[in-house]
Amino acid sequence: MILVNGRELDEHGLRARVKLRREHLLYTPELLELLDRDLLAVMRESRDQGFASLHGLRRALDEEDEEKDRRREEGSRWRRLVSATRREQEEAEAKSGEPARPPAVLEPPLGAGGEAPPPQPEAKEEKKDEKRPPLRRMIAHVVTMRVVQGVGEGYFQQLKQFNIFATRELEILQRLLRSGNRGPYPGRDRRGGVWLSPRPAWSAEAARYAAGLCGTGAVVVGIPGHALVEALWEKGLLALAVDDHARAVAEAQSRFCPARYHPRPLELLEAARVGGADLLVVPFPECMEGPRLEELLRWAGRNLGAGGRVLLGRGGGEARRFPYEDGFVRFWPAAYLRGLLEREGFAVEEREEAGTALLLGEKGAEG
Amino acid sequence: MRIHQICARLKYGDAVTNQVMRIHEAATSWGWESHVYSTAHDDVMEEVNEGLPEYRRRYLKNREDLLVFHYSIYDRNHEFYDDSRNRRVFYYHNITPPEFFAPYDAFMAEYCRLGRDLIPSFRNCDFAISDSEFNREELLEAGFDAERTGVVPIIVDTGEMGGEYNRGLVEELSDGRVNVLFVGRIVPNKRVEDVVDIFAHYHHGINAHSRLFLVGTTLLMGYNQVIADAIYGRRLQGRAIMPGWPAGVTDADLRAYYRAAHVFITCSMHEGFCVPLLESMYFGVPILARESSAIPYTLGGAGICFREVDPPVVAEAIEELVTNEELRSLLAARGKARMEDFRPSSALRTLREYLSRFE
């Protein structure tokens, strides 16, 4: 119930409007499916993916923890070994009264008297590190260990910090991924390349087909790339091309076609008193609001004589990419467009030329 | 008279903090000695917070003093209320029922539950004030004495609303599209997903030259995900926008959004007062709101209420509000009149009436 100051605000009227829109197919089956879609399933899927990512991250961190503990344990073992060896060495020195030779593992390359022993054949294969005295070796090893531990610690801290912000990062990543259409949603492939897609343009074949329908002159409302206007212009059949999209107009003008910019094309048509045309091409009826489109087709009914044609683009196929662009209004159902044309006396036929879905209305002799 | 105010946190821009500061200023202007304490504060409010230990040390046992205890979230500072020998006024700002948070944040839900469970323990206060009739009814349900309860609405500084706004943003938003606005924290009790659903019907079915702005700070990652999924699921990318996500927008930008808005909509299921309604009234933006909790009290007939979310029908109501100039003017006029009821002077007069009985 809708209330204004405790009284119903014509709620029945609002409901009637909803019904009317449905009856006039303004809520297409696709749109109804979109609006009635159970979002819970979609949410569950993306939430599960988020949890999976978090779980993976957590596991990676745990593994890092284990690796760090293992390294630390190894470091302690090595320190214990070194101190035990030194202890044994000191005890041996105390017993014999002279410096004992360190065990093989810590054997220095120098002799007991400090003179370099004659080079042994296998000495060449000894590592440089093993030629150092035990204390230096130990210090070098400890320093190395400290550096490794320090680097590991820093890395570990970074990972922890990352963990703190992981949830936030994941969320942002998901947003980015979705905006790049690599998100976990069905139909992403179909929507691929939406964001930077240019305005849909008609192919040269479709343009030739449209130009072939024209006998005396054509009016183009909405410029679907330069191919159509060029084809008409070359044949001397372009009466007027108008668009409310500045870039499309500029592109056509750059090819010396008489294209005009106007936010309300019908007003321009009325003002320019375009006469003698027998073809009206509206490539993007979805860019026009309902009343404007009706008025335009009414103009066509009045001004196109017998045999006159109206060619409407259908927002299917490639044009599905169009909804995301500024200026999009809505894809009109075929039944609605057909009804508008038939009301103005056009016989309607659905066609597809070079991948472009079209609705062709042709006025009979009696029209 | 000496008046002490205790609240959980002093945070610049927060509604409860604003109320505390207005009362502090008013009490000082009445010649009373006023002190403010809180458990936590931000940098801006650091100088205001005198610290709860100070209150315990110097004033806790003064029987002549007056303690106003602001309650909007569970906090251990209720122990100061319990121990106080002052005459005590319990100021209830409402706590969101835990069930709204439970699916998203168990910790937050538990805090809400603790907070609400504690309400009956404040019945022994000398007087209880709430900032809406709805909140007062909650107090009565909790067993408070009706004779010792009163309502003092949130004191909204209309002067601040009329402050500087981002003119560039207003120009940018005034491009012929219909701007549907929601303002508030993006939290589960606000049912922002319902707003998105309604807007989806409006955008896809009625007027594609429209966009929705969800202006507010976010709190729960899980709920953010719900809103993001609602937007993507209804194919409203680039049409439903959360400016300043996740921290919200500046005051100047907020005023710009109000100025450029054609309709304000909220589907909130639980509001203690709902300040954005007053802000919308101030800017003459027609309001469409779910008839729940304190919303009808605050709205007072200055907007359209709906009881159930039937998206296509509410979407038609948006269209009606956008296109019906007569209705817009009527609601704008009613909004201005309703604003008069919330004038700071009248709220402070009522507050003084309540507090003067302790003089």
Side-chain angles (χ1 to χ4, degrees):
Chain A
M1 179 181 290
I2 293 185
L3 301 174
V4 176
N5 308 325
R7 292 171 56 193
E8 281 188 37
L9 170 76
D10 197 15
E11 183 194 348
H12 299 297
L14 296 179
R15 288 194 185 280
R17 277 195 224 165
V18 175
K19 195 178 163 197
L20 205 63
R21 279 185 209 275
R22 285 181 194 259
E23 281 174 359
H24 281 73
L25 294 177
L26 291 180
Y27 286 101
T28 60
E30 269 190 351
L31 182 58
L32 285 176
E33 191 275 327
L34 173 77
L35 296 176
D36 297 338
R37 185 189 298 173
D38 176 18
L39 288 179
L40 277 178
V42 182
M43 289 173 189
R44 210 171 290 127
E45 187 190 347
S46 74
R47 197 170 52 229
D48 288 350
Q49 287 212 355
F51 286 155
S53 313
L54 270 177
H55 180 67
L57 184 69
R58 172 76 61 187
R59 201 168 51 193
L61 283 171
D62 287 347
E63 282 170 5
E64 180 63 28
D65 277 348
E66 285 167 14
E67 175 66 15
K68 187 168 169 277
D69 289 345
R70 195 180 60 75
R71 281 188 204 150
R72 196 175 286 153
E73 181 63 24
E74 277 183 0
S76 325
R77 264 208 309 273
W78 192 88
R79 275 195 293 275
R80 278 200 300 275
L81 174 69
V82 169
S83 48
T85 311
R86 289 196 64 190
R87 222 175 13 252
E88 281 171 17
Q89 194 177 345
E90 281 164 10
E91 281 169 12
E93 280 174 9
K95 275 182 189 173
S96 64
E98 57 183 43
R101 290 180 69 80
V105 67
L106 298 174
E107 183 76 38
L110 296 176
E115 292 172 4
Q120 302 295 319
E122 61 270 20
K124 288 179 183 172
E125 294 169 11
E126 278 181 356
K127 290 180 182 172
K128 186 185 173 187
D129 191 45
E130 288 172 357
K131 289 178 183 172
R132 292 177 184 164
L135 194 60
R136 285 187 62 193
R137 281 178 59 192
M138 193 173 71
I139 290 168
H141 194 88
V142 167
V143 167
T144 311
M145 285 297 291
R146 284 275 163 85
V147 169
V148 168
Q149 277 181 2
V151 170
E153 190 70 30
Y155 181 57
F156 180 74
Q157 279 176 1
Q158 277 184 2
L159 275 175
K160 278 219 154 174
Q161 197 174 13
F162 177 70
N163 189 23
I164 291 165
F165 293 104
T167 50
R168 170 83 184 280
E169 290 295 320
L170 273 175
E171 197 172 350
I172 292 168
L173 271 175
Q174 279 190 359
R175 287 158 61 89
L176 289 173
L177 284 172
R178 280 191 208 135
S179 64
N181 284 302
R182 294 191 294 276
Y185 296 101
R188 61 184 188 279
D189 297 330
R190 187 162 55 83
R191 297 206 303 265
V194 160
W195 303 95
L196 296 173
S197 69
R199 197 170 173 169
W202 281 13
S203 63
E205 292 92 319
R208 271 198 296 276
Y209 166 75
L213 297 171
C214 182
T216 56
V219 173
V220 179
V221 177
I223 301 171
H226 56 85
L228 177 66
V229 282
E230 264 185 337
L232 289 166
W233 181 239
E234 281 168 9
K235 287 187 172 185
L237 295 172
L238 183 60
L240 183 68
V242 57
D243 203 325
D244 60 358
H245 193 270
R247 202 192 311 160
V249 173
E251 191 185 6
Q253 285 176 347
S254 71
R255 289 161 190 272
F256 308 105
C257 299
R260 298 279 298 275
Y261 170 84
H262 202 283
R264 289 174 295 280
L266 186 65
E267 284 181 20
L268 182 65
L269 290 180
E270 298 280 15
R273 293 182 187 166
V274 176
D278 64 346
L279 175 67
L280 168 68
V281 187
V282 187
F284 310 123
E286 63 268 23
C287 288
M288 302 187 76
E289 290 166 15
R292 296 266 163 81
L293 183 62
E294 284 188 35
E295 282 172 18
L296 181 63
L297 295 182
R298 208 170 291 138
W299 176 90
R302 280 199 313 271
N303 291 278
L304 302 184
R309 293 180 173 111
V310 174
L311 195 60
L312 300 181
R314 293 284 317 285
E318 280 299 292
R320 272 191 189 288
R321 294 156 54 169
F322 203 34
Y324 297 90
E325 203 176 299
D326 282 342
F328 160 71
V329 177
R330 62 177 63 81
F331 291 109
W332 298 108
Y336 173 70
L337 296 177
R338 180 186 283 272
L340 288 182
L341 286 169
E342 285 175 350
R343 196 171 67 185
E344 300 303 325
F346 291 94
V348 183
E349 171 187 3
E350 284 192 40
R351 297 190 65 93
E352 183 161 339
E353 293 296 331
T356 306
L358 299 165
L359 210 60
L360 175 64
E362 188 162 359
K363 214 169 192 182
E366 70 280 6
Chain B
M1 189 164 72
R2 192 183 292 132
I3 179 171
H4 307 280
Q5 293 187 80
I6 294 180
C7 62
R9 64 182 66 91
L10 285 167
K11 185 181 169 194
Y12 180 75
D14 172 61
V16 176
T17 304
N18 284 346
Q19 193 78 343
V20 170
M21 293 313 295
R22 296 288 171 274
I23 295 172
H24 177 60
E25 288 160 10
T28 309
S29 73
W30 298 334
W32 299 357
E33 186 183 332
S34 175
H35 301 275
V36 175
Y37 318 91
S38 75
T39 310
H41 58 255
D42 64 12
D43 293 346
V44 183
M45 307 306 292
E46 191 174 1
E47 285 182 13
V48 178
N49 184 10
E50 295 182 25
L52 284 163
E54 180 72 1
Y55 171 70
R56 183 179 287 284
R57 193 172 65 80
R58 293 186 61 185
Y59 305 113
L60 188 84
K61 293 184 179 168
N62 290 358
R63 292 181 187 277
E64 296 304 310
D65 288 6
L66 180 65
L67 170 65
V68 178
F69 183 71
H70 292 268
Y71 196 58
S72 59
I73 185 74
Y74 174 78
D75 192 288
R76 290 286 295 277
N77 68 9
H78 70 83
E79 290 167 1
F80 291 87
Y81 170 90
D82 296 337
D83 298 345
S84 176
R85 302 282 172 81
N86 303 160
R87 287 159 305 167
R88 297 177 301 183
V89 172
F90 178 65
Y91 205 131
Y92 182 52
H93 299 278
N94 207 294
I95 295 178
T96 308
E99 54 266 27
F100 288 110
F101 290 106
Y104 306 102
D105 190 332
F107 178 78
M108 182 69 81
E110 182 61 8
Y111 253 61
C112 292
R113 187 191 64 73
L114 282 170
R116 289 185 75 86
D117 286 354
L118 212 58
I119 294 172
S121 72
F122 297 108
R123 278 178 302 197
N124 57 3
C125 63
D126 294 293
F127 197 79
I129 298 175
S130 55
D131 40 26
S132 71
E133 190 58 36
F134 172 74
N135 292 354
R136 182 170 168 269
E137 281 175 13
E138 278 199 1
L139 293 182
L140 298 184
E141 276 175 27
F144 282 66
D145 180 5
E147 295 297 315
R148 288 190 291 125
T149 56
V151 176
V152 175
I154 291 269
I155 301 164
V156 179
D157 189 348
T158 48
E160 272 185 18
M161 286 188 209
E164 262 307 302
Y165 63 96
N166 185 341
R167 288 168 195 275
L169 183 59
V170 175
E171 276 175 27
E172 194 183 310
L173 298 178
S174 306
D175 57 355
R177 293 193 197 186
V178 169
N179 298 318
V180 181
L181 178 68
F182 163 85
V183 176
R185 285 195 309 160
I186 311 294
V187 286
N189 58 300
K190 308 276 184 186
R191 297 289 299 182
V192 184
E193 63 271 39
D194 287 348
V195 174
V196 173
D197 259 7
I198 291 166
F199 178 71
H201 278 77
Y202 180 67
H203 180 79
H204 290 305
I206 297 171
N207 184 358
H209 285 291
S210 56
R211 60 195 156 203
L212 169 69
F213 291 106
L214 304 171
V215 180
T217 55
T218 62
L219 186 68
L220 309 166
M221 181 196 170
Y223 190 64
N224 291 351
Q225 188 75 57
V226 168
I227 301 307
D229 285 332
I231 289 171
Y232 285 92
R234 298 280 185 248
R235 219 199 292 159
L236 290 172
Q237 301 97 312
R239 300 293 184 261
I241 301 151
M242 294 171 76
W245 183 92
V249 299
T250 62
D251 287 351
D253 281 3
L254 179 63
R255 290 179 202 123
Y257 281 110
Y258 273 117
R259 282 177 186 275
H262 294 87
V263 179
F264 175 88
I265 183 167
T266 177
C267 293
S268 181
M269 293 281 279
H270 187 89
E271 290 289 346
F273 185 79
C274 199
V275 173
L277 294 180
L278 287 197
E279 293 170 343
S280 299
M281 288 176 202
Y282 177 84
F283 288 102
V285 182
I287 297 165
L288 193 57
R290 188 197 288 255
E291 195 184 36
S292 73
S293 52
I295 287 176
Y297 295 104
T298 306
L299 207 51
I304 293 183
C305 273
F306 53 91
R307 282 186 190 145
E308 56 192 63
V309 175
D310 186 347
V313 175
V314 182
E316 293 290 349
I318 294 179
E319 176 69 355
E320 187 70 27
L321 280 176
V322 170
T323 54
N324 188 337
E325 276 302 325
E326 204 177 331
L327 180 61
R328 287 176 68 85
S329 317
L330 171 80
L331 290 179
R334 285 188 182 279
K336 296 283 179 207
R338 182 65 178 151
M339 281 291 289
E340 290 296 304
D341 299 337
F342 295 108
R343 270 190 313 181
S345 56
S346 84
L348 289 172
R349 199 180 311 123
T350 313
L351 178 73
R352 185 159 192 187
E353 272 173 33
Y354 290 144
L355 299 187
S356 294
R357 64 182 67 188
F358 300 106
E359 267 190 296

